[in-house]
Amino acid sequence: MNRTYILASALFIGVIASFFLAMMIGVEHYTFQTVLNSLMHPYANDSVTQTLMEIRLPRILVAFLVGMMISVSGLIMQTVTHNDLSEPSILGVNAGANLMIVLVVVLVPTITFVGIIISGFIGGALVGLFILMMTRYNSPVKLVLAGAGISLLLLALTNFIVITNGLGQFAMFFTSGGAAGQTLSNVLMVTPVAIVLILILILMSRELDVLLLSDDVAHSIGQNQRIYKFVSLFIAIMLAAISVALVGNIIFLGMLVPHIVKMIVGHLHKKALIFTAILGGVFFVLADMFARMFNEMPVNAVIAMIGLPFFIYIIRRRGHTYA
């Protein structure tokens, strides 16, 4: 059997298994049969079904969507910057989105969810592009340092706004990350946007593959790199901004998942995008499940347990390149 089909089958099984595990396990545990009955009779009036269908199901669906979006965003940022360390949190996109969202919430308390997404995109785009312009001709390590420094500055500004306006609980949500408190309306609103954006990237797979090559090679085969870099980076920042608006600032996921996928299926984007999206969704669903098991532990802490060692591994493996 073709290796791709084996991997695809394994991911499909992983999606189904992670979904049922996340539905079953949490602060309250339910049996597989209980979950299955609730899914078959979603409008039943008992408290267990209402809890599963109105609280846990939207949370799991949002977690899967966010895992997809952040992971794909990280993959595209690594391609565009030719930098294995690139991802939304390292490029300052998440910090910029956080600051803009908090600022807009203070200035316009009645802002809608769509308004929050748009403000997050504007903040993330401004900061991400600024950092890329600053470090365009420098080493990847300088990109990380610039991103970390500016992210800390923006975090300080965000905290100042939060403290002076009494938004402590709101800020805690964006700092720790997590899919709690989601609704099916959020899922229905975000799903079409996420699918369309990722499909556009899949349709651009060949052009993204060319971006992996040097600028001279791309120019020699007639590709207008500026257009494809702009479009793909625009989509990546949009995916990251929507994720921040939904679940707050998630770290390491956008770097971790694309690396795992590229180790398994290679760098060509047609496969890498699909596998990254699915694996990212499964990974975040499981991370959120573990966070829920331990009394709503910050999901960033769960991801960091795996992401930080992986980050160190990349630095050690590619240290000669980054020196």
Side-chain angles (χ1 to χ4, degrees):
M1 186 181 291
N2 189 294
R3 182 168 176 264
T4 301
Y5 289 114
I6 295 174
L7 293 172
S9 300
L11 272 183
F12 177 76
I13 294 171
V15 170
I16 302 300
S18 64
F19 173 79
F20 278 101
L21 281 173
M23 287 289 285
M24 293 164 58
I25 298 173
V27 177
E28 293 288 337
H29 300 325
Y30 301 101
T31 64
F32 176 79
Q33 189 61 48
T34 300
V35 171
L36 198 59
N37 288 339
S38 295
L39 290 171
M40 293 177 66
H41 305 93
Y43 300 108
N45 204 25
D46 61 286
S47 60
V48 171
T49 299
Q50 290 178 347
T51 298
L52 287 172
M53 302 307 295
E54 296 177 15
I55 298 176
R56 197 165 286 186
L57 178 62
R59 178 171 183 166
I60 293 167
L61 294 177
V62 165
F64 189 82
L65 278 172
V66 167
M68 286 176 58
M69 291 189 290
I70 294 178
S71 301
V72 168
S73 177
L75 174 64
I76 297 303
M77 288 180 180
Q78 289 169 18
T79 296
V80 172
T81 63
H82 289 190
N83 186 341
D84 288 343
L85 303 179
S86 293
E87 67 122 11
S89 63
I90 289 176
L91 286 181
V93 172
N94 290 356
N98 280 350
L99 176 59
M100 187 63 76
I101 289 171
V102 169
L103 189 60
V104 169
V105 166
V106 170
L107 296 176
V108 189
T110 58
I111 190 169
T112 63
F113 179 65
V114 174
I116 289 177
I117 290 176
I118 294 172
S119 61
F121 170 73
I122 293 171
L126 289 174
V127 176
L129 293 175
F130 175 72
I131 291 175
L132 285 175
M133 289 173 62
M134 272 182 39
T135 60
R136 184 177 177 185
Y137 300 107
N138 293 315
S139 70
V141 171
K142 289 186 179 180
L143 176 71
V144 174
L145 292 175
I150 292 177
S151 294
L152 287 174
L153 173 62
L154 297 179
L155 179 61
L157 291 173
T158 303
N159 287 337
F160 175 78
I161 295 171
V162 165
I163 292 170
T164 54
N165 291 275
L167 297 174
Q169 192 67 31
F170 187 78
M172 188 180 298
F173 164 76
F174 280 105
T175 302
S176 60
Q182 300 296 331
T183 63
L184 282 176
S185 63
N186 286 354
V187 176
L188 294 174
M189 186 182 301
V190 171
T191 300
V193 178
I195 291 174
V196 168
L197 292 176
I198 293 173
L199 280 177
I200 292 172
L201 292 173
I202 292 173
L203 292 173
M204 290 171 53
S205 293
R206 291 186 179 180
E207 288 75 18
L208 292 171
D209 291 342
V210 176
L211 290 181
L212 293 170
L213 307 174
S214 67
D215 292 345
D216 292 337
V217 173
H219 183 71
S220 68
I221 62 176
Q223 187 193 72
N224 189 334
Q225 280 202 313
R226 288 186 177 181
I227 292 177
Y228 290 112
K229 282 184 177 180
F230 175 81
V231 172
S232 56
L233 196 58
F234 178 91
I235 293 174
I237 292 174
M238 188 66 185
L239 290 171
I242 295 172
S243 300
V244 171
L246 279 168
V247 302
N249 184 17
I250 301 298
I251 61 172
F252 288 126
L253 186 65
M255 179 183 63
L256 175 65
V257 174
H259 275 284
I260 294 173
V261 169
K262 285 185 281 189
M263 288 177 183
I264 298 172
V265 302
H267 290 72
L268 296 182
H269 285 83
K270 191 168 185 179
K271 288 183 181 179
L273 280 165
I274 296 171
F275 280 84
T276 296
I278 298 173
L279 182 60
V282 170
F283 192 100
F284 194 75
V285 166
L286 294 176
D288 188 66
M289 181 192 74
F290 280 110
R292 191 168 63 241
M293 286 172 60
F294 295 99
N295 199 25
E296 295 297 345
M297 173 185 182
V299 72
N300 272 335
V302 177
I303 298 174
M305 290 177 188
I306 302 172
L308 185 58
F310 201 82
F311 179 82
I312 295 171
Y313 163 74
I314 294 170
I315 291 292
R316 288 179 61 86
R317 189 182 65 141
R318 300 292 299 274
H320 64 281
T321 305
Y322 298 157

